[in-house]
Amino acid sequence: MTDYGHDLLFGSFVTPSSARPAEVVELAVAGERAGLDLVTFQDHPYQPALLDTQALLAFVAARTTRVRLAANVTNLPLRPPAVLARTAATLDLLSGGRFELGIGAGGFRDAVVAMGGRGLPPGESVDALAEAIGLIRELWDTGERGGVRHRGTYYTADGAKRGPRPAHDIGVWVGAYGPRMLALTGRLATGWLPSYDYLKGGTAALPAMNARIDEAAREAGRDPREIRRFLNIMKPEQATADFLTELAVEHGISGFVVGGDDEGAIRRLGEEVAPAVRANVGPSGPSGR
């Protein structure tokens, strides 16, 4: 058994289609009605077939009252970190502390460049993400006096005013797969947010990836339990109670985000699968806290 000490969370991964904006919002609302804990949307600002995720999150926040909201994951190269810090804090304040910051180094480099962003090579994009997370947290820290002065390799802030302070300690959930990104997650993140379809070897890859995060956390003086482990499962038929129970008990996964733009699948996840997984794991397992 692997237990990182977190209660179980269940969420949806809704496609933010610009062809059916009202349906996208209604699917998010359906997730809250079904008892889900989290609603997420992919963030591809260069794709006109998709709604702008930050604007969508604000709209959904106004239509919901309980469910947490996040991008899955924010495209950093087209979301400058100083501005992203303000956006995240604003969404958190407006939603009453329900926003979490899913973030990644950014893929689809050519599409990013076409939109005016920097197309950093993979190694540099990891370093840029680490720098951005630090800058974002500095801007949220209104307890420090004076402006933020940051002259890094990729980002600069020359006396930027701090704040606004978020309504709660926003989670920083990183989409990570390679060794350097996993190490970054262990050093800096409060959540790991990969997708099952991208795991080389499926669940067999999870022990080594968890171990890399744990090792980096300890080297940074952190407790690995500070980092919640999520998993995106894009095919709703894969998200059975037995499979999610195995992920929770054997691999310490405590956040399950399931794809599928279908209200029936969302209801099944919230009303049938989630209660069954919680019952299977029981009070002595990862969800018993």
Side-chain angles (χ1 to χ4, degrees):
M1 176 182 287
T2 301
D3 186 357
Y4 290 102
H6 297 273
D7 57 341
L8 294 183
L9 297 178
F10 296 85
S12 63
F13 194 122
V14 178
T15 305
S17 170
S18 59
R20 48 183 183 85
E23 182 181 338
V24 172
V25 175
E26 289 308 314
L27 286 171
V29 173
E32 178 165 271
R33 283 199 304 260
L36 296 185
D37 307 289
L38 178 67
V39 172
T40 73
F41 306 98
Q42 59 190 286
D43 182 38
H44 297 287
Y46 38 76
Q47 177 52 269
L50 303 178
L51 298 165
D52 177 78
T53 297
Q54 304 303 320
L56 174 61
L57 286 164
F59 197 91
V60 171
R63 289 288 309 276
T64 54
T65 60
R66 180 192 53 79
V67 74
R68 299 192 210 179
L69 303 167
N72 194 348
V73 290
T74 304
N75 184 281
L76 176 63
L78 291 174
R79 308 285 188 189
V83 176
L84 181 58
R86 304 261 198 265
T87 302
T90 298
L91 287 167
D92 199 52
L93 288 164
L94 291 173
S95 66
R98 295 187 287 124
F99 178 78
E100 311 293 352
L101 182 60
I103 193 167
F108 302 97
R109 184 165 43 172
D110 291 345
V112 167
V113 171
M115 288 283 286
R118 284 187 299 182
L120 295 174
E124 291 184 26
S125 67
V126 176
D127 295 336
L129 175 59
E131 190 177 312
I133 290 172
L135 177 55
I136 288 167
R137 285 182 166 145
E138 280 195 81
L139 288 161
W140 286 341
D141 185 5
T142 57
E144 288 290 323
R145 299 189 64 181
V148 173
R149 299 190 180 277
H150 175 90
R151 292 196 172 273
T153 304
Y154 303 97
Y155 301 108
T156 299
D158 191 9
K161 294 183 182 297
R162 299 174 184 270
R165 185 180 183 86
H168 86 301
D169 290 334
I170 295 176
V172 177
W173 302 345
V174 174
Y177 300 92
R180 291 191 65 210
M181 282 290 286
L182 293 169
L184 179 153
T185 302
R187 294 195 314 272
L188 300 175
T190 56
W192 176 38
L193 186 56
S195 293
Y196 178 72
D197 287 352
Y198 295 160
L199 299 180
K200 296 180 179 178
T203 56
L206 288 171
M209 298 174 87
N210 268 328
R212 180 67 174 136
I213 293 171
D214 295 351
E215 177 187 19
R218 294 189 186 99
E219 288 176 353
R222 304 180 68 201
D223 185 335
R225 291 178 296 180
E226 294 178 33
I227 304 144
R228 179 190 281 278
R229 318 302 160 108
F230 291 87
L231 192 62
N232 293 317
I233 301 171
M234 301 316 298
K235 301 179 182 69
E237 63 272 16
Q238 290 181 324
T240 65
D242 287 346
F243 183 47
L244 302 193
T245 299
E246 175 191 342
L247 289 167
V249 173
E250 299 299 328
H251 302 290
I253 304 298
S254 61
F256 305 97
V257 183
V258 180
D261 300 321
D262 176 74
E263 187 172 347
I266 289 171
R267 285 200 308 269
R268 283 192 296 275
L269 177 64
E271 297 171 5
E272 299 175 20
V273 176
V277 176
R278 290 189 170 108
N280 289 345
V281 173
S284 61
S287 71
R289 289 162 170 76

